[in-house]
Amino acid sequence: MNFTIQNVLIAADESYTTTDVHIIEGKIAAIAPNLNIIGTVIDGSNKLLLPGFFNAHTHSSEMWQRGIMSALPLELWLAELYDFAPLDTEQVYLSALGTAVETLMSGGTSVVDHLVLIPGQELETIACAVRAYREVGIRAFVAPLIQDESLTAGIPNGESTPTHEPFFRSTAATLEMMETAIKQFHHPETGVNILVAPTGIQLCTDGLFEGCIELSDRYNICRHSHLLETKAQAKLAEEKYGCSAVTHLKQIGYLSDRTSLAHCVWLDDADIAILAETQSTVVHNPLSNLRLGSGIAPILKYCQAGVNVSFGCDGASSNDSQDLLEAIKIGSILHNVTDFDYRHWITPRKAVEMAALGGAKGLNMADQLGSLTVGKQADLVLYDLTNLSLLPRTDPIGLLVLGRPSNVVDSAWVNGKQIIANGKVTTINVDELRQELFNRSQWTTQRQSPTVAQIEAHYRQVMGL
C-alpha cells in the first residue's frame, strides 16, 4: 500500500519540523513539505511521527503469571516460575498476541521474544508464537530459549559441591532442534526472524554456545542471551571459568556486532571495554532489574564507552507489563542517581534513539530500520499530540518519554502495512483476545513453590544472607 502522511511533526536537529512523508512499497520514499499526493492520504496534523521502537527482550508466555510472582531474586523467582508454568500451545499463542498488542500500543513495532519452550513440543511452541506475531503484523524476532543444564546449576556452589540433575535434552539434540527451527521459521522477508538464544552462562555449556555460534554464522542470524543479570551469576562465572563471564564469552567467540545481551548489570570497566570492542549490544531491562532486586545496570558507562544500548520490557511476570514507554522512561531517569554529572544523563531524544535505532543495531538491521530515513522500511508510529496525557503543548518527545502517556498511539505501520488505525489494532479482534485471557485464568493469591523451599537455604548461604 502506498500512502502520503501530510503535515506531520518530525524531529529535526534540536527542534521539530512539519512535513509530508511518502511511503511506497513498504519503504520511506520521500520526506519533504508539500509533496504530491501518492496513494491514500493520512492526516498528520497535530501528530508526531517516530520510527517504531524495539521491545528488544521479553518472554511472552510469562504473561500467564503476571501480578502473582513472589518478591524473590532471580534464581529463586525462576524456581517459582517453572513450578507453576505448565503451558499449552494455545496459551503460548494467546500470550504472544497479548505481548504484540501491548508492545504496539506503547510505540513498539518489533519484539524480541526469548521464547520459553514447552518440553517435547518445542517446534509447536515456536509455531504458535510465530502464528500470533504474523496475525498481528508486528515484526518478530523469535529467540527460542535454550539451555543444557538444569535449574540448580545456575546457583553458585560456594563451599559445597552439589550434584545437579542432568538436563532432559542433550546439547546435540538442542542444536538439532534449533537448526530445524531456523529452516522452518526464519523468513525475514515476511517479518519473522529466528535468533539463536542460549539463556546465559548460568545454564549453558560451552558446547551449546559454540554450536549456536556455528548456526549463527552458517545461517547469518543474530545471537541473543541473558548476561550477568545478578550478582549470583557474576559469582558463578568466577567459579566456572576463573574469569569474568564477558572475558569467557569473548574467548569462545560469542560476542559480535550481531549479539544482543539482556541485562548486563554486573559488569566492570574491563568487561565494558570488551563489549565496546566486539560491538555487542546491551538490552536494558530496568523494570525487571528493579522488580527482582538484580541491581542497576551501568547504562551511562555503556553509552560513554560507545556500547550500543536498546530497551526491553523483559517478561510479563518480572515486570508485569509490556509497556515499552514505561521501560524507556524508567530506563532513562533511573540513571540520574548513578552519576551526579548531569551532562551524562539520558535526554528524551537520546532515549528515543536508543529505543529505535539502538534496537535496530542490536539485530543487525540499522541499514533498514530505526530512523526516519529515505530508503528504510516503513516501521512507523504516529502519536496523537492532542491526547490529554501529552498536553499542554511543550516538547512532544519530552512529553512522550518523561510523562505518563496512555492511549497515545494513533497509527502504526510495519513494512508499510497499517496495523493500528485511530488508536485500534486493525489486524486482530482485541476484545476477543481480552475475553480469552480472562476466561483461561482465575483470580489467585497464595501459592507455595516446592522448588524454592528446596533451594532457598543454599541460595541464602552462598549469597551471605
Side-chain angles (χ1 to χ4, degrees):
M1 172 178 140
N2 300 336
F3 58 97
T4 305
I5 306 174
Q6 289 189 312
N7 301 316
V8 72
L9 208 62
I10 64 168
D13 299 325
E14 292 304 306
S15 61
Y16 296 88
T17 186
T18 301
T19 193
D20 297 348
V21 181
H22 274 168
I23 308 299
I24 300 176
E25 292 179 1
K27 293 192 172 174
I28 301 170
I31 302 172
N34 306 313
L35 291 173
N36 294 329
I37 291 173
I38 291 178
T40 310
V41 173
I42 307 284
D43 182 7
S45 305
N46 300 317
K47 297 184 178 80
L48 172 70
L49 186 68
L50 288 176
F53 300 148
F54 286 71
N55 185 355
H57 177 72
T58 189
H59 309 277
S60 61
S61 64
E62 282 184 18
M63 179 173 281
W64 294 98
Q65 295 197 63
R66 66 178 177 187
I68 180 68
M69 292 295 296
S70 302
L72 292 168
L74 176 76
E75 288 72 22
L76 301 179
W77 177 93
L78 275 173
E80 180 181 319
L81 184 81
Y82 285 125
D83 273 351
F84 296 101
L87 293 163
D88 60 49
T89 50
E90 186 64 13
Q91 285 177 296
V92 170
Y93 166 72
L94 291 168
S95 51
L97 286 179
T99 295
V101 169
E102 291 191 352
T103 295
L104 280 165
M105 297 307 289
S106 56
T109 52
S110 292
V111 61
V112 177
D113 189 354
H114 207 176
L115 184 68
V116 178
L117 304 175
I118 300 171
Q121 293 185 282
E122 291 85 359
L123 293 171
E124 294 91 330
T125 307
I126 298 167
C128 286
V130 167
R131 175 163 69 98
Y133 291 135
R134 290 191 69 167
E135 284 178 15
V136 175
I138 199 168
R139 194 178 295 275
F141 298 82
V142 178
L145 188 148
I146 51 175
Q147 65 192 74
D148 59 353
E149 295 184 289
S150 59
L151 191 67
T152 54
I155 298 177
N157 294 333
E159 300 300 306
S160 60
T161 50
T163 52
H164 307 294
E165 287 286 311
F167 195 63
F168 74 92
R169 187 178 55 230
S170 72
T171 306
T174 298
L175 291 166
E176 192 178 318
M177 179 269 294
M178 269 310 305
E179 183 164 19
T180 304
I182 293 163
K183 288 176 176 173
Q184 207 168 321
F185 301 110
H186 183 63
H187 299 295
E189 68 286 353
T190 67
V192 175
N193 304 264
I194 298 293
L195 277 56
V196 291
T199 183
I201 62 101
Q202 67 280 10
L203 295 173
C204 299
T205 64
D206 283 358
L208 187 60
F209 275 111
E210 286 159 356
C212 285
I213 294 166
E214 194 277 324
L215 286 171
S216 162
D217 290 346
R218 182 146 45 100
Y219 290 99
N220 190 31
I221 60 176
C222 290
R223 311 167 187 174
H224 187 65
S225 292
H226 299 101
L227 178 62
L228 295 180
E229 182 174 355
T230 65
K231 191 173 184 182
Q233 289 174 9
K235 281 176 176 278
L236 182 70
E238 285 294 336
E239 285 183 0
K240 254 177 120 162
Y241 311 126
C243 64
S244 88
V246 180
T247 297
H248 185 74
L249 289 178
K250 183 192 173 191
Q251 285 168 351
I252 63 173
Y254 191 75
L255 304 180
S256 77
D257 61 356
R258 288 182 295 148
T259 305
S260 59
L261 303 158
H263 303 293
C264 298
V265 176
W266 292 88
L267 277 66
D268 62 22
D269 291 348
D271 294 332
I272 293 170
I274 291 171
L275 292 191
E277 174 200 332
T278 56
Q279 295 178 50
S280 303
T281 288
V282 170
V283 184
H284 186 25
N285 301 275
L287 288 150
S288 60
N289 294 160
L290 292 169
R291 165 88 154 91
L292 303 177
S294 303
I296 298 177
I299 296 300
L300 300 185
K301 284 188 172 185
Y302 292 129
C303 293
Q304 287 163 46
V307 176
N308 182 50
V309 180
S310 58
F311 291 104
C313 290
D314 206 0
S317 59
S318 61
N319 162 356
D320 306 83
S321 156
Q322 293 296 297
D323 186 330
L324 196 48
L325 286 168
E326 182 184 44
I328 293 166
K329 174 177 179 172
I330 300 291
S332 304
I333 62 174
L334 178 62
H335 305 284
N336 297 2
V337 300
T338 66
D339 186 340
F340 288 115
D341 189 343
Y342 47 88
R343 292 184 179 179
H344 296 155
W345 294 354
I346 296 168
T347 64
R349 289 207 176 207
K350 173 68 174 169
V352 161
E353 184 186 339
M354 291 160 69
L357 191 58
K361 279 181 184 169
L363 294 158
N364 203 30
M365 293 194 77
D367 58 334
Q368 299 171 59
L369 296 169
S371 63
L372 297 183
T373 305
V374 171
K376 287 197 177 185
Q377 293 175 27
D379 287 22
L380 307 170
V381 178
L382 197 59
Y383 296 91
D384 177 7
L385 297 177
T386 69
N387 182 286
L388 183 61
S389 62
L390 296 181
L391 288 171
R393 288 190 283 169
T394 55
D395 178 350
I397 290 176
L399 289 162
L400 194 67
V401 172
L402 297 174
R404 185 63 182 90
S406 56
N407 305 316
V408 293
V409 172
D410 174 87
S411 304
W413 297 264
V414 172
N415 208 24
K417 180 189 174 191
Q418 187 162 18
I419 53 180
I420 297 179
N422 301 314
K424 300 253 188 301
V425 176
T426 58
T427 45
I428 65 162
N429 186 324
V430 175
D431 286 336
E432 277 181 16
L433 171 63
R434 285 194 301 121
Q435 196 64 53
E436 282 288 319
L437 291 169
F438 185 90
N439 292 346
R440 286 170 171 268
S441 54
Q442 57 277 316
W443 309 121
T444 179
T445 50
Q446 291 306 307
R447 58 186 197 175
Q448 295 299 318
S449 160
T451 309
V452 171
Q454 286 168 21
I455 66 175
E456 185 173 16
H458 172 67
Y459 175 86
R460 291 185 67 82
Q461 181 192 356
V462 296
M463 297 308 293
L465 297 171

